[in-house]
């Protein structure tokens, strides 16, 4: 239906644009045909015949060439006749000289009230000369997005969000950059105020300091003088001591907020930070343990993992009325005897019974003089030894608040992966000075590599010949593009082509 | 002295109460258009509508033949009829009626793909008017000036989907004095009569309500649009469809990561709109589109690219404050225009859109709710009352020409 419309529209547009009336007049006079209209009908028929002969739309080309007033190549203006354009130009100049209100009625030569600029018909598609994004505008758009999202958070998100105090024990080792960067990026995206306490074993080092600087967060970087031991048990103990040290800093500085333990090898989801805002005093979340190996016995007599038979979860367990009833802990029995003892062991590393990272506490619990501090919290200064989990900080484990819809949501994941204790890595992961000796690898067809076998071993070349031929061909084509050592390549290829010529 | 003190106390309390009563919910803002705060007006008691009893060949039988008419975007005519039948503004006594409604479903002759064909509509309307003018005296009394018709098709009562044909035909001569309730609105266009009421196209409310996502989901898409840019079936060379505006949007912004525009039909269309800040509503073959309704309901600021368009309920809703208007010639600069809007203005527009009355005014819920599009139509009709004296003709006076129009329209239906 609309295919023929083009022809119809074409005709009517022609006739419309050349009538003395404007293009949008209500043509209630159906039977009236001006001589101009008849002339255009004849012209149109002629153009159709020519198009039939030539095989393309001749008429459009003629009119485009005759009447287009394009100023730039890319921009085709609305397709109007010269007469109309003149009229509109006059109109515009009139409008600009009298700065009038919007309801100024132009004295159009005929009485149609078509003051609108909207014309029915074919219009040009306006494309600007450089249709690509402008970086300044992209930044402005991002600012707008940020502002809108901030407003959304204000309206629908957590009311009165508290500062998050993240405690991370770390030490310098090969995988420190990997793990710490992950945690750092997670913390940088958190939409709430954040204080990051980094406790380092072996004293404060430049490595860690340079990593942390890039975050732009408010950090407190302290060190303790013991070095990280090699066995996992001792490590866990030292980490607990480091975390207690951080809690003492919270107490000294009277930091106000929610303390969470962001171990540097863990993976955190952003919902975790939204969820822990709901804690009142002491809360627990479910941690997914990614330590399973493929040999796990999938017997179904594990009561804890009914929801998630594949991934073990550590965290609070609730009864039917959503009250804390117990704890899910990691079942170490399948791993008995097969778990890593030292850091170099290539066996799975197991978590402890209850990881520190699954707990959050209100920092006011740690203050010396809390007005409404509950009485089930032990004083940190009294604790000296190893506290295995934060439950050691409280006297009554039933006061713990289960978070994340009563432990059903897993909000963070635990995994320990470490390199060998003696593995080396460049300080700060910067290769300085740059490596200057490049040893070519034996398998890439590098143009600088001489062929493997020298000239004297000819008979063995017979087998390798077809391969050599292919590679020389590629080498010659590539060597032209590698400009550095032209002379050697040319001699090389000459040598190799000599071989191929000989055989 | 004591009475003075008590009086002062009462005044102070009253003042405080009025302040708290007028306090805005910080999330939404009141809408006040050029007609005043009329979105929340109740039309009951302000007007009386008489519904003509037409034989079912004009309405029910047509619907029975094709029930798809109930869910396409022109379904407003059917739901308006149903609403009026059970509304308190309906009166069974035509003597006391201010407005007369003719229930005729003129947009229900659908092609197999669901597009309405307008070719028989003029004859159908004409035959209906002949019927009501011969069976009741009220048409001849005013020649239709106190009657209203719902004509939601592409170009309203011009009854054609193609603009040039529609302009040629003009509004059906018999409807020239009646009030037309239509979706099409463009200034200085023959198919928009003075005094017509523009309404939004029908969008199925259940489908929309079912697709809401949590409001705290951050809006991360800057500009969103899904639809055609080139109509290759009907306009292969481009430049005709949408007056080249949609093609210009594509050509200028297809490489721009801020513009999420494509011709996809994703299943998450409604959800994506709720994650976008701006939703483009460019014209197509006609200037109006259901995208406006969807954008308003989902809180996405509509960017209207249609010169001289008249938006629904334009006197009740301040569209300038809610949406962004971009002239078709400014499309290449669309990204500059949108990023230069100050964030406070954007937040204000979002607050206005979040107003539940605003969202309701764009929808046709069943059963009807106060403040919905049905009530806005009645409010619009009520605002035109009382009828001026010129509406009533002297006996024997005739203004309409019953034989005007193309010959094909005069055939009986």
């Amino acid at each position: 239906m609309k295919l023929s419309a083009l022809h119809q529209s074409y005709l009517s547009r022609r006739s419309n644009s050349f009538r003395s009336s404007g293009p949008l007049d209500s043509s209630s006079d159906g039977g009236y045909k001006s001589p101009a209209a008849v002339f255009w009908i004849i012209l149109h028929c002629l153009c159709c015949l020519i198009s039939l002969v030539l095989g393309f739309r001749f008429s459009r080309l003629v009119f485009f060439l005759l009447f287009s007033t394009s100023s730039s190549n890319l921009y085709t203006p609305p397709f109007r006749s010269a007469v109309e354009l003149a009229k509109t130009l006059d109109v515009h100049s009139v409008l600009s000289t009298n700065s009038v209100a919007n309801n100024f009625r132009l004295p159009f030569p005929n009485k149609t009230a078509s003051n609108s600029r909207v014309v029915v018909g074919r219009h040009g598609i306006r494309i600007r000369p450089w249709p690509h994004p402008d970086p300044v505008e992209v930044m402005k758009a991002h600012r707008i997005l940020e502002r809108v999202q901030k407003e959304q958070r204000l309206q629908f998100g957590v009311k009165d969000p508290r500062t998050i105090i993240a405690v991370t024990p770390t030490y310098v080792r090969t995988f420190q950059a990997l793990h710490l960067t992950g945690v750092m990026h997670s913390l940088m995206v958190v939409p709430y105020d954040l204080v990051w306490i980094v406790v380092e074993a072996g004293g404060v080092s430049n490595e860690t300091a340079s990593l942390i600087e890039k975050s732009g967060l408010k950090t407190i970087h302290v060190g303790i003088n013991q070095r990280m031991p090699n066995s996992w048990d001792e490590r866990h103990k030292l980490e607990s001591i480091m975390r207690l040290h951080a809690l003492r800093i919270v107490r000294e500085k009277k930091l106000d907020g929610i303390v969470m333990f962001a171990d540097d090898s863990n993976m955190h989801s952003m919902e975790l930070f939204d969820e822990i805002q709901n804690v009142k005093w002491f809360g627990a979340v479910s941690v997914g343990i990614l330590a399973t190996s493929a040999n796990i016995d999938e017997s179904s007599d594990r009561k804890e993992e009914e929801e998630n038979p594949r991934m073990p979860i550590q965290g609070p367990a609730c009864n039917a009325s959503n009250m804390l009833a117990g704890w899910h802990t990691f079942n170490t029995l399948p791993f008995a005897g097969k778990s890593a003892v030292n850091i170099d062991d290539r066996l799975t590393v197991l978590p402890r019974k209850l990881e520190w990272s699954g707990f959050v506490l209100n920092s006011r619990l740690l203050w010396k003089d809390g007005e409404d501090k509950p009485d089930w919290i032990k004083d940190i200064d009294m604790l000296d030894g190893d506290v295995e989990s934060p439950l050691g900080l409280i006297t009554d484990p039933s006061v713990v608040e289960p978070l994340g819809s009563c432990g059903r949501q897993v909000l963070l994941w635990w995994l320990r992966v470490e390199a060998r204790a003696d593995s080396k890595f460049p300080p700060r992961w910067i290769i300085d000075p740059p490596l200057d000796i490049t040893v070519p690898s034996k398998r890439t067809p590098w143009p600088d590599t001489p062929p493997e076998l020298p000239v004297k071993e000819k008979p063995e070349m017979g087998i390798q010949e077809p391969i050599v031929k292919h590679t020389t061909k590629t080498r010659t084509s590539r060597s032209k593009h590698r400009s550095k050592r032209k002379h050697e390549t040319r001699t090389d290829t000459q040598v190799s082509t000599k071989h191929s010529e000989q055989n | 002295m004591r009475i003075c003190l008590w009086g002062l106390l009462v005044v102070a309390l009253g003042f405080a109460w009025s302040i708290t009563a007028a306090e805005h919910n910080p999330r939404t803002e009141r809408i006040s258009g050029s007609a005043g705060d009329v979105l929340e007006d109740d039309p009951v008691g302000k007007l009386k509508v008489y519904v003509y009893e037409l034989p079912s060949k004009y309405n029910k039988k047509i619907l029975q033949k094709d029930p798809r008419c109930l869910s396409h975007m022109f379904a407003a005519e059917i739901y308006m009829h149903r609403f009026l039948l059970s509304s308190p503004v309906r009166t069974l006594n035509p003597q006391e009626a201010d407005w007369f409604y003719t229930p005729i479903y003129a947009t229900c002759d659908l092609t197999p793909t669901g597009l309405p064909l307008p070719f028989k509509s003029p004859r159908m309307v004409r035959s209906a008017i002949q019927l009501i003018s011969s069976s009741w005296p009220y048409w001849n009394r005013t020649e239709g000036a106190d009657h209203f018709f719902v004509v939601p098709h592409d170009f309203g009562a011009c009854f054609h989907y193609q603009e040039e044909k529609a302009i040629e035909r003009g509004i059906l001569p018999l409807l020239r004095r009646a009030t037309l309730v239509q979706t099409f609105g463009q200034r200085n266009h023959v198919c928009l009569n003075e005094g017509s009421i523009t309404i939004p196209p029908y969008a199925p409310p259940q489908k929309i309500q079912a697709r809401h996502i949590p409001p705290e989901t951050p809006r991360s898409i800057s500009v969103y649009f899904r639809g055609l840019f080139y109509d290759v079936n009907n306009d292969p060379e481009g430049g005709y469809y949408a007056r080249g505006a949609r093609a210009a949007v594509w050509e200028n912004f297809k490489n721009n990561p801020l513009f999420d525009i494509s011709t996809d039909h994703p299943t998450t269309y409604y959800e994506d709109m709720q994650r976008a800040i701006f939703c483009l509503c460019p014209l197509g073959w006609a200037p109006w589109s259901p995208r406006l309704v969807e954008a308003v309901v989902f809180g996405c600021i509509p960017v209207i690219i249609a010169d001289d368009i008249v938006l629904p309920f334009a006197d009740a809703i301040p569209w300038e404050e809610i949406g962004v208007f971009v002239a078709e010639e400014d499309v290449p600069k669309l990204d500059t225009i949108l990023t230069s809007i100050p964030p406070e203005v954007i937040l204000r527009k979002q607050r206005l859109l979040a107003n539940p009355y605003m969202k309701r005014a764009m929808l046709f819920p069943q059963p009807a709710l106060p403040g919905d599009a049905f009530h806005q139509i009645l409010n619009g009709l009520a605002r035109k009352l009382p009828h001026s004296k010129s509406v009533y003709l002297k006996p024997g006076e005739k203004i309409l020409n019953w034989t005007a129009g193309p010959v094909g329209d005069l055939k009986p239906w």
Side-chain angles (χ1 to χ4, degrees):
Chain A
M1 282 178 277
K2 281 192 175 149
L3 279 168
S4 61
L6 281 171
H7 288 281
Q8 294 280 14
S9 68
Y10 195 48
L11 174 63
S12 55
R13 189 163 32 85
R14 291 282 128 258
S15 48
N16 270 341
S17 58
F18 278 85
R19 275 191 213 162
S20 52
S21 52
L24 289 184
D25 76 326
S26 57
S27 45
S28 49
D29 46 352
Y32 168 75
K33 277 217 167 17
S34 64
V38 171
F39 165 68
W40 281 108
I41 293 173
I42 295 173
L43 193 62
H44 177 72
C45 290
L46 194 64
C47 289
C48 281
L49 283 172
I50 299 176
S51 310
L52 265 177
V53 169
L54 287 176
F56 62 86
R57 299 192 79 141
F58 173 71
S59 47
R60 282 178 190 271
L61 194 61
V62 165
F63 284 114
F64 179 69
L65 289 172
L66 278 179
F67 291 120
S68 74
T69 57
S70 57
S71 50
S72 78
N73 290 337
L74 294 173
Y75 171 73
T76 48
F79 198 171
R80 302 181 196 179
S81 71
V83 177
E84 282 238 328
L85 276 169
K87 268 199 194 149
T88 49
L89 283 172
D90 286 343
V91 160
H92 284 183
S93 56
V94 164
L95 274 178
S96 58
T97 48
N98 342 342
S99 50
V100 287
N102 292 336
N103 45 9
F104 176 71
R105 298 225 120 212
L106 296 162
F108 239 70
N110 38 308
K111 281 172 237 119
T112 55
S114 54
N115 291 332
S116 78
R117 310 154 287 150
V118 179
V119 183
V120 180
R122 182 164 303 279
H123 291 249
I125 300 170
R126 295 175 169 91
I127 307 175
R128 64 188 194 204
W130 181 247
H132 293 287
D134 177 25
V136 171
E137 279 167 16
V138 172
M139 280 320 294
K140 272 201 235 172
H142 280 286
R143 299 263 171 278
I144 293 178
L145 277 168
E146 260 178 52
R147 182 72 189 84
V148 168
Q149 288 180 8
K150 185 168 143 202
E151 186 69 26
Q152 273 185 287
R153 243 179 278 127
L154 275 174
Q155 285 183 4
F156 303 110
V158 178
K159 295 277 175 284
D160 303 322
R162 290 174 276 179
T163 310
I164 301 207
I165 303 167
V167 172
T168 304
T170 184
Y171 68 104
V172 178
R173 73 249 193 223
T174 309
F175 279 12
Q176 183 201 29
L178 169 71
H179 296 313
L180 204 59
T181 315
V183 172
M184 188 168 81
H185 286 174
S186 301
L187 294 178
M188 279 159 78
V189 185
V190 169
Y192 309 111
D193 291 328
L194 196 96
V195 176
W196 194 16
I197 303 181
V198 180
V199 186
E200 195 173 345
V204 173
S205 72
N206 284 339
E207 279 280 334
T208 319
S210 63
L211 263 178
I212 294 177
E213 247 173 358
K214 293 188 218 157
S215 70
L217 297 168
K218 186 156 169 268
T219 50
I220 301 174
H221 187 190
V222 291
I224 60 170
N225 280 331
Q226 288 168 285
R227 291 201 54 222
M228 265 293 185
N230 260 2
S231 78
W232 281 108
D233 269 340
E234 310 247 329
R235 281 204 174 194
H236 287 138
K237 288 197 180 111
L238 186 60
E239 278 170 11
S240 306
I241 294 175
M242 287 156 76
R243 290 187 190 106
L244 282 175
H245 190 72
L247 292 181
R248 281 192 200 102
I249 295 178
V250 171
R251 161 185 276 219
E252 269 167 34
K253 301 207 172 185
K254 282 209 148 192
L255 296 177
D256 188 15
I258 302 172
V259 180
M260 49 97 52
F261 299 98
D263 291 349
D264 60 1
S265 53
N266 287 355
M267 286 139 277
H268 310 90
S269 77
M270 287 301 117
E271 283 83 23
L272 170 71
F273 298 100
D274 294 328
E275 188 60 33
I276 59 180
Q277 293 282 349
N278 297 332
V279 79
K280 197 156 169 295
W281 287 115
F282 199 100
V285 292
S286 291
V287 183
I289 305 291
L290 297 173
T292 54
S293 65
N295 321 339
I296 272 275
D297 185 13
E298 300 202 352
S299 59
S300 56
D301 59 346
R302 293 207 233 144
K303 299 185 289 263
E304 301 109 52
E305 282 85 15
E306 264 148 22
E307 320 91 68
N308 261 338
R310 308 239 170 236
M311 177 193 269
I313 313 275
Q314 257 188 20
C318 290
N319 58 14
S321 54
N322 278 349
M323 304 287 286
L324 184 68
W327 299 95
H328 291 310
T329 59
F330 187 69
N331 186 4
T332 54
L333 285 178
F335 291 98
K338 289 187 284 177
S339 70
V341 174
N342 286 324
I343 214 165
D344 292 338
D345 293 348
R346 294 224 249 117
L347 301 166
T348 41
V349 182
L350 296 181
R352 298 177 115 200
K353 278 273 172 211
L354 282 173
E355 279 290 323
W356 278 79
S357 41
F359 292 90
V360 290
L361 40 137
N362 192 338
S363 67
R364 286 173 196 233
L365 285 176
L366 304 164
W367 291 1
K368 268 197 183 52
D369 48 351
E371 309 82 27
D372 36 23
K373 212 166 79 164
D375 48 0
W376 37 257
I377 183 88
K378 293 184 199 165
D379 196 1
I380 307 185
D381 287 339
M382 303 301 144
L383 297 168
D384 209 15
D386 168 32
V387 179
E388 211 188 82
S389 83
L391 287 181
L393 292 173
I394 55 177
T395 50
D396 180 14
S398 63
V399 297
V400 178
E401 303 153 36
L403 298 173
S405 55
C406 211
R408 271 175 235 125
Q409 283 178 314
V410 174
L411 298 170
L412 70 155
W413 296 269
W414 180 98
L415 175 66
R416 283 316 285 259
V417 173
E418 295 294 346
R420 292 161 53 106
D422 56 351
S423 67
K424 303 256 180 294
F425 64 98
R428 293 191 211 183
W429 285 100
I430 293 176
I431 300 175
D432 185 33
L435 305 173
D436 47 310
I437 298 176
T438 35
V439 178
S441 115
K442 294 201 174 180
R443 282 190 231 121
T444 50
W446 211 253
D448 305 333
T449 318
E452 272 211 35
L453 301 170
V455 186
K456 47 185 190 284
E457 295 180 2
K458 257 195 220 178
E460 288 167 24
M461 286 275 289
I463 309 163
Q464 294 184 16
E465 217 192 49
I467 312 165
V468 172
K469 265 197 191 149
H470 288 303
T471 50
T472 52
K473 286 217 174 68
T474 52
R475 271 185 220 163
T476 47
S477 60
R478 277 196 206 166
S479 62
K480 288 184 187 116
H481 299 285
R482 290 188 215 251
S483 51
K484 282 245 165 111
R485 294 189 193 176
K486 277 195 190 144
H487 303 294
E488 273 104 340
T489 52
R490 279 207 206 116
T491 50
D492 280 347
T493 51
Q494 272 172 19
V495 165
S496 37
T497 45
K498 265 192 205 155
H499 287 299
S500 51
E501 278 163 25
Q502 281 166 12
N503 299 310
Chain B
M1 181 60 182
R2 280 187 118 198
I3 300 172
C4 242
L5 272 175
W6 278 114
L8 268 175
L9 196 62
V10 166
V11 166
L13 276 175
F15 195 52
W17 175 83
S18 68
I19 286 182
T20 49
E23 202 176 72
H24 301 313
N25 182 355
R27 286 193 208 164
T28 70
E29 265 188 50
R30 273 181 91 93
I31 311 255
S32 44
S34 53
D37 286 352
V38 291
L39 269 191
E40 298 150 39
D41 268 0
D42 188 13
V44 173
K46 294 194 190 160
L47 77 164
K48 292 248 170 264
V49 176
Y50 177 72
V51 182
Y52 283 124
E53 290 279 337
L54 288 186
S56 60
K57 71 170 180 172
Y58 291 101
N59 32 55
K60 291 208 188 70
K61 289 233 181 89
I62 299 182
L63 187 55
Q64 269 167 8
K65 261 197 287 190
D66 200 342
R68 285 181 297 178
C69 292
L70 279 174
S71 51
H72 69 174
M73 52 184 171
F74 309 103
E77 54 184 7
I78 303 174
Y79 291 113
M80 189 68 188
H81 182 204
R82 292 188 183 179
F83 166 71
L84 283 172
L85 284 176
S86 53
S87 156
V89 303
R90 180 192 186 188
T91 166
L92 298 167
N93 178 6
Q95 291 293 345
E96 61 169 15
D98 302 304
W99 288 101
F100 294 84
Y101 172 64
T102 320
I104 172 166
Y105 301 164
T107 327
C108 204
D109 181 18
L110 304 184
T111 66
T113 52
L115 298 169
L117 293 174
F119 303 118
K120 297 197 201 144
S121 311
R123 289 160 48 200
M124 187 156 83
V125 172
R126 201 191 148 79
S127 113
I129 295 178
Q130 271 170 341
L131 181 63
I132 59 178
S133 63
S134 50
S135 319
W136 287 275
Y138 308 104
W139 177 271
N140 292 325
R141 200 169 61 166
T142 59
E143 290 234 299
D146 56 353
H147 289 57
F148 72 93
F149 292 80
V150 181
V151 279
H153 194 244
D154 283 348
F155 289 97
C158 293
F159 291 122
H160 209 280
Y161 48 78
Q162 203 217 314
E163 191 166 358
E164 278 159 342
K165 275 290 180 59
I167 293 173
E168 249 179 66
R169 297 178 60 100
I171 296 184
L172 197 69
L174 291 177
L175 293 177
R176 298 245 168 106
R177 283 173 62 88
T179 295
L180 297 170
V181 178
Q182 57 189 55
T183 51
F184 172 75
Q186 187 169 310
R187 282 190 279 277
N188 302 315
H189 199 279
V190 277
C191 297
L192 181 70
N193 228 351
E194 253 336 291
S196 294
I197 298 178
T198 2
I199 60 171
Y202 176 73
Q206 304 86 352
K207 223 176 22 156
I208 286 184
Q209 303 302 350
R211 302 287 211 91
H212 277 243
I213 60 177
E216 59 257 15
T217 318
R219 286 189 187 260
S220 46
I221 302 175
S222 202
V223 182
Y224 188 77
F225 175 75
R226 289 285 182 272
L228 290 178
F229 300 101
Y230 293 94
D231 187 354
V232 282
N233 294 325
N234 299 310
D235 176 31
E237 292 152 21
Y240 210 97
Y241 176 56
R243 296 196 275 270
R246 286 195 184 197
V249 168
W250 175 249
E251 298 299 340
N252 280 301
F253 301 112
K254 59 188 176 191
N255 296 320
N256 197 323
L258 297 170
F259 282 68
D260 185 357
I261 57 180
S262 89
T263 49
D264 270 354
H265 276 255
T267 44
T268 53
Y269 176 59
Y270 288 153
E271 287 83 353
D272 289 340
M273 271 194 154
Q274 292 172 73
R275 284 179 38 229
I277 300 187
F278 291 106
C279 288
L280 295 183
C281 304
L283 71 161
W285 287 108
W288 58 271
S289 99
R291 281 184 185 85
L292 184 70
V293 177
E294 289 156 1
V296 168
V297 170
F298 292 127
C300 181
I301 301 176
V303 178
I304 296 149
I305 309 173
D307 286 346
D308 288 344
I309 187 175
V310 176
L311 288 175
F313 308 128
D315 49 351
I317 299 178
W319 287 106
E320 284 286 340
E321 298 181 31
I322 292 175
V324 179
F325 285 83
V326 177
E328 287 165 33
E329 60 185 4
D330 289 333
V331 165
K333 296 184 262 167
L334 187 61
D335 54 349
T336 317
I337 296 173
L338 292 180
T339 51
S340 60
I341 303 178
E344 308 83 47
V345 173
I346 293 182
L347 291 175
R348 176 158 188 265
K349 288 186 202 272
Q350 290 189 324
R351 278 199 297 272
L352 283 168
L353 283 170
N355 192 335
Y357 280 106
M358 178 69 210
K359 293 187 204 278
R360 225 189 259 177
M362 288 283 113
L363 293 173
F364 294 91
Q366 286 92 42
L369 296 168
D372 64 6
F374 299 116
H375 289 88
Q376 301 304 331
I377 298 175
L378 292 179
N379 281 335
L381 289 170
R383 284 196 286 274
K384 294 178 89 178
L385 292 175
H387 294 297
S388 68
K389 290 284 172 277
S390 61
V391 152
Y392 296 100
L393 303 175
K394 299 191 232 342
E397 189 184 345
K398 279 219 169 297
I399 298 184
L400 290 182
N401 182 356
W402 282 72
T403 53
V407 181
D409 286 358
L410 302 175
K411 292 194 211 142
W413 182 72

